[in-house]
Amino acid sequence: MSKVRIGIVGSRFQADCIAASVKAMPEEMEVVAVASPTKGNAEAFARRHGIGGFYSDYREMLRDPAIEMISITAPNRLHARITIEAAAAGKHVVCEKPLCVTLEEADAMIDACAKAGVLLLYAEELFFAPKYVKAKQMADEGAFGRVHLVKQGEKHSGPHSDWFWDVEQSGGGALMDLGCHGIAFCWWFLGKQKIKSVYSQLSTQVNARRTSADDEAITIIEFENGAIGMVENSWNRPGGMDDTIEVFGDKGQTYADMLMGNALPTYSEIGFGYAVEKASSTKGWTYPVFEEHWNYGFPQEMRHFARCVRGKEKPISDGETGRVVMEAVHAAYASAGLGKKITFPFRPKGIAKPIDLWKKPELAQAAL
Ligand SMILES: NC(=O)c1ccc[n+]([C@@H]2O[C@H](COP(=O)([O-])OP(=O)(O)OC[C@H]3O[C@@H](n4cnc5c(N)ncnc54)[C@H](O)[C@@H]3O)[C@@H](O)[C@H]2O)c1
């Protein structure tokens, strides 16, 4: 069968990752076009990655009949609109996390793709990260007995682009940006069972001058079988990206450090080009990674999505996954606003962005 032809929306951080990841597994897919509004960016990106088509308006790209699937790597506030337009144009959609900003948007995205008969694929790469997949395989084999606690942490020194810090564009802070990974991870690891409640402690510890968003977040999720997920996020950890899991059962446990655990403990007084995402220095002791995208699972994720388009596999991460995560994100902000556990289902209506439930607890109270 022919390769799935992909158009990327966006041309910066995550777009680079997706283009490189697709190139790493070329048997099933290829990137044929990119769209980005800033003058010259799409063309430069296309040159850099050897891509034939480039557009300044993604809507023009959507009219290209050669494109079968788009990958959305634009800011969060645009995910819903782009998805709905792409579905109307008959394109399958891979949407980066978080799925969107509001729960109404999540519903509309899922409906639009279902009506158009296209796939809505939610890009949660932790479901494909080799170390984390191995941990889940062992857990599913029974290696740890009954798993009662799963922890996931993602922490770094803060986002690279201004829009993440502007809650009107992002919808929230470290919890929205990084916590969506941990929530999805715990849910997936424990077999996608229902969430019973969410509790979250949020604060702005370091960046209050720059943002009204949370830069520290601790979230506890209670699942239907009584197991607990614990998600820790920060925008205040210098030294490079920190992505870890811990899994505990009555018969054993496992720990994984995705990046540092696969890195080269290195000392250099001179420094070198690149150690790991968000590391500000390569002098002194550092942990340079290799196969960074592979360790996260990005190439494996895109290959899975391409195979789903060809009907060879069934999506393990879709619009419903993104909606579960969005509901938990909303509950976490509401919990921080009210200082109490939020029980599920939690479907607040008319909330412009999740962080409002923290900043205006009366909105959270009204939604209970
Ligand atoms: N899965 C992951 O681990 C991961 C990692 C990084 C980012 N992301 C997600 O990917 C998305 C993009 O993040 P990023 O880090 O690449 O941000 P970025 O700021 O580096 O890039 C955003 C891109 O979107 C483009 N853009 C802005 N408005 C647009 C429009 N109207 N049409 C088309 N393109 C437009 C910008 O020009 C830019 O190229 C976010 O939703 C983010 O949460 C996911």
Side-chain angles (χ1 to χ4, degrees):
M1 264 187 210
S2 64
K3 294 180 185 191
V4 173
R5 296 178 303 277
I6 302 168
I8 298 180
V9 183
S11 64
R12 285 173 63 189
F13 184 88
Q14 193 56 11
D16 270 323
C17 167
I18 296 298
S21 297
V22 168
K23 222 183 276 173
M25 298 200 104
E27 310 80 30
E28 307 272 353
M29 54 194 172
E30 60 184 322
V31 177
V32 296
V34 58
S36 195
T38 311
K39 199 173 176 326
N41 280 9
E43 185 174 0
F45 184 92
R47 286 232 174 84
R48 195 159 70 245
H49 290 284
I51 296 166
F54 51 87
Y55 300 87
S56 56
D57 187 335
Y58 70 85
R59 285 165 295 195
E60 224 182 296
M61 184 172 82
L62 293 179
R63 286 196 283 275
D64 181 345
I67 293 167
E68 299 175 85
M69 175 163 97
I70 64 152
S71 161
I72 303 175
T73 70
N76 304 346
R77 78 190 145 84
L78 299 171
H79 291 185
R81 186 208 304 168
I82 299 171
T83 297
I84 292 164
E85 289 175 18
K91 314 297 183 195
H92 301 287
V93 175
V94 175
C95 185
E96 277 303 330
K97 63 80 200 166
L99 185 67
C100 48
V101 175
T102 72
L103 287 167
E104 287 87 351
E105 283 179 346
D107 293 341
M109 292 163 80
I110 292 170
D111 286 353
C113 290
K115 277 201 192 97
V118 297
L119 297 174
L120 174 54
L121 302 155
Y122 178 61
E124 180 43 74
E125 76 277 2
L126 298 190
F127 297 177
F128 302 88
K131 259 193 190 179
Y132 295 178
V133 169
K134 175 70 180 171
K136 178 158 166 58
Q137 280 165 355
M138 291 188 292
D140 290 349
E141 261 177 46
F144 316 122
R146 178 183 167 269
V147 175
H148 57 262
L149 176 61
V150 179
K151 297 188 187 180
Q152 200 277 341
E154 199 165 298
K155 303 155 219 170
H156 59 52
S157 54
H160 46 276
S161 286
D162 287 342
W163 68 262
F164 285 92
W165 302 85
D166 171 7
V167 296
E168 299 305 324
Q169 300 194 63
S170 60
L175 169 65
M176 178 91 175
D177 178 35
L178 305 175
C180 56
H181 286 302
I183 292 165
F185 178 82
C186 295
W187 175 77
W188 167 74
F189 198 94
L190 290 165
K192 300 187 173 178
Q193 56 182 293
K194 281 197 175 138
I195 294 175
K196 245 173 89 180
S197 76
V198 170
Y199 176 83
S200 192
Q201 179 73 41
L202 304 177
S203 52
T204 312
Q205 295 285 348
V206 176
N207 294 289
R209 280 205 182 147
R210 185 167 189 194
T211 184
S212 60
D214 46 298
D215 62 7
E216 289 286 336
I218 296 169
T219 304
I220 297 170
I221 309 162
E222 195 183 4
F223 290 92
E224 204 165 50
N225 75 345
I228 305 298
M230 195 179 143
V231 179
E232 203 190 326
N233 305 109
S234 174
W235 279 355
N236 304 313
R237 297 288 196 283
M241 173 67 99
D242 182 359
D243 198 307
T244 57
I245 62 165
E246 297 177 27
V247 176
F248 300 93
D250 56 330
K251 298 282 187 285
Q253 61 261 354
T254 190
Y255 307 88
D257 184 330
M258 185 205 280
L259 299 166
M260 256 192 298
N262 280 1
L264 293 76
T266 297
Y267 181 79
S268 167
E269 292 187 353
I270 292 165
F272 53 95
Y274 179 82
V276 68
E277 182 188 341
K278 309 261 183 320
S280 58
S281 164
T282 55
K283 284 192 180 165
W285 280 104
T286 56
Y287 292 85
V289 291
F290 55 92
E291 302 286 6
E292 193 171 15
H293 292 150
W294 186 265
N295 288 331
Y296 275 111
F298 289 115
Q300 303 91 318
E301 168 193 86
M302 289 304 290
R303 177 175 185 272
H304 168 66
F305 289 158
R307 288 175 66 79
C308 290
V309 166
R310 288 285 176 264
K312 296 175 185 170
E313 292 180 20
K314 290 246 171 303
I316 65 166
S317 186
D318 58 9
E320 299 290 342
T321 304
R323 181 162 60 185
V324 168
V325 173
M326 283 305 293
E327 186 175 352
V329 165
H330 278 77
Y333 278 108
S335 164
L338 295 171
K340 65 180 194 186
K341 242 187 206 183
I342 302 295
T343 51
F344 270 47
F346 183 67
R347 301 277 314 186
K349 289 198 174 53
I351 304 297
K353 52 191 182 304
I355 196 170
D356 290 349
L357 292 161
W358 176 37
K359 297 289 171 168
K360 301 175 195 158
E362 63 278 10
L363 293 177
Q365 186 62 44
L368 292 181

